[in-house]
Amino acid sequence: MMNRTAIGAIFLTAALASPIQAQGLFKQRAKRRLAGAPALLVRAIRAQPTLRYTGTYTTEFRQGSNTVRHQEFITRDGIWYRIEFPNDSQFAGQVIVENKDVRLHYHPVTNEIMQQPPRHGEAWEKVANLANNKKFVLTVAPGEMIAGLHTEQLEVSDFDGNIVQRLFIEPESGVILKRLLFDKVGTQIGFLEFNQINLSPVIDPSMFQIRRKNAKIVTPLIQLERIAKRRGFVVRYLPPLTGYSLEGSSYRNFAGVDGLVETYVNGQDRLWLYVLKAPLNPERLRANAGKNLHVHSIDLTGESIVLMGTLDEKTLTRFSSMLVAGTSPLRH
Amino acid sequence: MDRKLESAGQLAISKMVQSLPDEPLSMAWRSSLNEKLLEAAAKKRKKQRLAWVLRPALGLGLASVLAVVVMFQPHAPRTSPVADKSLESAILTDHHNSVLFNEVSSAGLNANEVTSEANPQEPEDGLWNDSDVQGL
């Protein structure tokens, strides 16, 4: 049974989350990186903390031979988000609300609320990073009509002219209405496109709350513990003193090997922790990872652990020594 | 056989051979032969001395190369044979997909959240849904 303390905690967290504070932090970070960036991108970045709209967008991602495509309804007021799904969606009934401090994801089938760290800051950071990434060239080009609005296009390409991303931005508001991602041979591998948008919505603040009595709060650690138990893994995770928070976990099968994937966030970038029920070749992994992705692996009896991210290998090694492990249920 | 050897023809040839003068070896030829032998011996000794120096040096060199190879392989697999040749690439592909998925999804559902495990279809007993509300 969801107790009153839990409900109180959710409301308290929501009340404390001040959009003004978030704007300040974001502005400081973005200012350093926007010098010399196209005005269109600067407009889009600066608008992020204060954007208000309701709308519907379609998102698609190609994963091997599969294409994952679904529609989401979004209500946004600055850093406050609410995301829902159409009735014919496989995610129908789920509701996500997010503010500066927390992301709550309600699952009607299990009557649970997944509690996660917020991730909107990460999305802004990534767009802002485009401005000062020396590997890419940013070009402004005419856009197209999207969701009834005129847009301008920001092309992100490498120095050989290969397009990596296309962002379609409504120039007045700075809202990104369409985003296309391409692989190295120019094939579109993912997109997000608004089908409908209202830039002057009336938004009730209660939209950003989830009030569901008797719903169970599931933290990322509880989720990890469940998957580990179901799949026969030892529960291992990075403690918060690393500066990274566990966002979520999932089971995967890697070339016939059982694997547990944990993702960690810190508001700017991510870390991945792979737990595998087989030994692997660290040299081959490192060689195939390339220059920008760093890996550190540990071989334990019966399990291999791989930490992966953009952090330097020394830090990954230090983090791996801080791994918390336990076979019995964790106390939170 | 004895009769044949004591035949006149054979005896004549024998006398002729015995009457051939014994030519003494010239001193000059002996001297040149000695010189050539000394020269060959000196060359052989030189080669032996060179081999005496080079062989250990070559051995030391090989040992050093081996030591360098062993010492400068700190990242050599600490474990264990490889379970599956494609395991490493499978992890990297998953990571790559996850990064891209996050880029596309932004605040929406991400790679972890669209899996069937994250979206169980079995409802808990006793839960009401929207169709129950419509029936009121």
Side-chain angles (χ1 to χ4, degrees):
Chain A
M1 184 171 179
M2 185 183 177
N3 59 38
R4 286 182 182 179
T5 315
I7 299 171
I10 293 166
F11 280 104
L12 184 65
T13 321
L16 289 173
S18 157
I20 296 162
Q21 284 176 329
Q23 284 176 35
L25 281 171
F26 180 69
K27 276 180 184 171
Q28 280 176 5
R29 283 183 194 155
K31 197 177 175 182
R32 289 198 297 270
R33 288 171 291 177
L34 295 178
L40 183 65
L41 180 62
V42 175
R43 177 83 191 97
I45 300 294
R46 290 196 174 148
Q48 291 302 314
T50 52
L51 280 176
R52 293 180 84 251
Y53 55 77
T54 57
T56 307
Y57 58 75
T58 303
T59 172
E60 184 180 289
F61 177 72
R62 198 163 56 80
Q63 203 165 24
S65 56
N66 298 322
T67 300
V68 182
R69 182 182 187 134
H70 67 272
Q71 212 173 39
E72 297 180 355
F73 300 144
I74 187 166
T75 303
R76 179 176 174 182
D77 188 354
I79 60 163
W80 301 69
Y81 292 80
R82 180 186 177 99
I83 290 166
E84 294 164 280
F85 305 88
N87 288 335
D88 58 352
S89 166
Q90 60 174 315
F91 310 113
Q94 294 185 22
V95 179
I96 300 169
V97 296
E98 180 173 319
N99 60 43
K100 176 177 154 281
D101 297 316
V102 72
R103 177 184 173 90
L104 301 171
H105 186 163
Y106 174 64
H107 289 263
V109 174
T110 53
N111 197 32
E112 290 176 338
I113 299 170
M114 307 292 293
Q115 186 181 296
Q116 298 175 307
R119 66 173 73 131
H120 53 78
E122 184 189 359
W124 299 346
E125 290 284 337
K126 291 205 167 180
V127 176
N129 281 341
L130 292 172
N132 66 346
N133 193 327
K134 306 288 180 211
K135 290 179 185 170
F136 301 118
V137 178
L138 305 180
T139 315
V140 177
E144 54 190 59
M145 291 296 282
I146 298 168
L149 296 173
H150 160 73
T151 63
E152 286 180 20
Q153 188 186 163
L154 186 75
E155 280 184 357
V156 184
S157 57
D158 64 18
F159 281 94
D160 296 319
N162 298 302
I163 303 285
V164 180
Q165 264 191 58
R166 286 183 199 276
L167 296 162
F168 293 81
I169 300 166
E170 198 282 308
E172 292 301 312
S173 63
V175 65
I176 300 167
L177 289 174
K178 185 175 173 180
R179 192 171 183 188
L180 304 171
L181 275 78
F182 302 89
D183 67 10
K184 286 184 177 174
V185 292
T187 311
Q188 186 178 298
I189 48 172
F191 81 83
L192 183 149
E193 180 174 358
F194 274 85
N195 314 108
Q196 176 268 321
I197 191 163
N198 176 3
L199 292 171
S200 308
V202 175
I203 300 172
D204 186 330
S206 68
M207 292 285 285
F208 305 109
Q209 295 167 0
I210 290 182
R211 286 164 294 183
R212 174 75 188 174
K213 290 175 185 171
N214 202 28
K216 183 180 165 98
I217 295 285
V218 178
T219 64
L221 272 180
I222 293 174
Q223 185 197 29
L224 167 64
E225 195 179 280
R226 282 178 176 177
I227 298 171
K229 190 178 174 186
R230 195 181 305 138
R231 300 287 180 174
F233 284 90
V234 172
V235 178
R236 298 180 200 279
Y237 64 94
L238 290 174
L241 61 97
T242 56
Y244 284 80
S245 308
L246 179 62
E247 183 199 48
S249 319
S250 61
Y251 164 81
R252 304 266 215 288
N253 186 291
F254 297 108
V257 172
D258 280 343
L260 181 58
V261 186
E262 299 168 27
T263 51
Y264 293 82
V265 293
N266 77 341
Q268 290 180 56
D269 63 355
R270 279 172 183 260
L271 268 183
W272 281 259
L273 179 73
Y274 288 85
V275 185
L276 306 156
K277 285 190 177 175
L280 52 73
N281 186 328
E283 278 305 301
R284 187 186 297 149
L285 184 66
R286 193 177 286 109
N288 292 339
K291 280 190 291 184
N292 299 322
L293 178 65
H294 300 132
V295 295
H296 177 72
S297 56
I298 312 169
D299 183 51
L300 301 168
T301 312
E303 284 183 357
S304 304
I305 293 175
V306 180
L307 257 178
M308 212 178 273
T310 50
L311 286 174
D312 60 88
E313 208 176 324
K314 199 176 164 187
T315 309
L316 293 179
T317 308
R318 188 164 56 83
F319 281 5
S320 70
S321 69
M322 296 159 74
L323 271 172
V324 178
T327 48
S328 58
L330 299 163
R331 299 281 165 257
H332 313 289
Chain B
M1 176 74 92
D2 286 343
R3 269 201 306 272
K4 277 186 182 176
L5 284 171
E6 286 167 7
S7 68
Q10 285 294 329
L11 288 169
I13 288 169
S14 172
K15 272 186 184 172
M16 199 169 71
V17 170
Q18 281 172 3
S19 67
L20 286 171
D22 273 345
E23 273 187 41
L25 291 173
S26 102
M27 289 304 285
W29 182 83
R30 280 186 182 183
S31 168
S32 80
L33 180 63
N34 278 339
E35 273 175 19
K36 281 178 184 169
L37 286 172
L38 279 172
E39 200 176 317
K43 275 184 184 171
K44 195 179 175 185
R45 272 201 303 277
K46 202 173 174 182
K47 275 184 184 173
Q48 279 175 339
R49 272 202 299 273
L50 202 65
W52 187 81
V53 174
L54 282 182
R55 273 183 193 161
L58 193 67
L60 272 173
L62 277 173
S64 306
V65 168
L66 275 173
V68 167
V69 168
V70 172
M71 295 290 287
F72 289 90
Q73 256 197 329
H75 305 305
R78 278 167 296 170
T79 61
S80 57
V82 177
D84 187 313
K85 225 178 172 181
S86 58
L87 180 57
E88 294 80 14
S89 72
I91 297 167
L92 291 169
T93 302
D94 179 82
H95 172 264
H96 179 71
N97 287 339
S98 182
V99 169
L100 289 174
F101 208 139
N102 287 329
E103 286 266 329
V104 175
S105 66
S106 190
L109 294 176
N110 70 9
N112 283 343
E113 294 169 330
V114 297
T115 62
S116 55
E117 200 154 19
N119 294 279
Q121 297 303 309
E122 292 294 320
E124 281 186 6
D125 288 340
L127 275 181
W128 56 264
N129 60 30
D130 290 342
S131 62
D132 294 319
V133 179
Q134 285 158 15
L136 292 175

